Amino acid sequence: MPDSNPIDPEQLRGWLQAAARQDGRAFRLLYDATSPRLFGYALRILGKRELAEEAVQDGFVAIWHGAASYQAQLAAPMTWMTTIVRNKALNLLRRHAHDAGIDGPVFDECVMAALHDPQATPVDALLISREAKALAHCMSTLGGAHRQVVGLAFFHDLSHSEVAQQMAIPIGTVKTWIRRSLERLKTCMAKGERP
């Protein structure tokens, strides 16, 4: 869907340059102009408002601290900021995989669609694709019952006791499977395993 309010890249560059000189007013203008779009992007990746808010907040902290490192010849300002927020969102996705709505085979298709950025360069798209595929691959290494428990507990927002009841297994088993599944996902992503 085309953007009805395009943001002037030159204006963003100017605000970033001013933010690099610790200009709080310029940074506020940058934030006001870009945060709604970046929040929407993070929300598509994470699926939960509170996680998307955290990703955007972390992203803007990184943008403030890294504004001096922005190189206009390498990326448009919005692409650079989107990449930062995307990385923060993916880090949250790894840490809180259960909150992100990971549900087995549907994961790859949903995450790939959510991560699509029409302003991304081909290199950005390749990096997104690799990370999403790696995470989908790691999800596929979980056993079916473990993947189902994670999906029910977090994609469908069921409590541990509701998952236990629905799957007719003890609540202790649910908690153990979720903990082990999240540990396996973390280990798999840390190793950089690829399909």
Side-chain angles (χ1 to χ4, degrees), residues 109-155:
E109 181 182 328
C110 291
V111 169
M112 292 305 288
L115 293 177
H116 176 69
D117 176 10
Q119 296 180 346
T121 65
V123 172
D124 293 336
L126 179 62
L127 292 173
I128 291 169
S129 174
R130 284 183 182 162
E131 288 196 23
K133 286 180 181 175
L135 189 52
H137 166 72
C138 290
M139 276 297 297
S140 73
T141 66
L142 299 178
H146 288 202
R147 195 168 46 241
Q148 185 179 4
V149 165
V150 170
L152 286 173
F154 305 107
F155 180 66

Side-chain angles (χ1 to χ4, degrees), residues 7 28-42 52 56-57 60 78 81 85:
I7 300 172
R28 181 65 192 192
L29 292 170
L30 179 71
Y31 177 87
D32 290 342
T34 60
S35 62
R37 182 178 298 175
L38 293 172
F39 173 76
Y41 182 68
V56 171
Q57 179 180 346
F60 273 100
M78 197 65 196
M81 291 187 296
V85 170

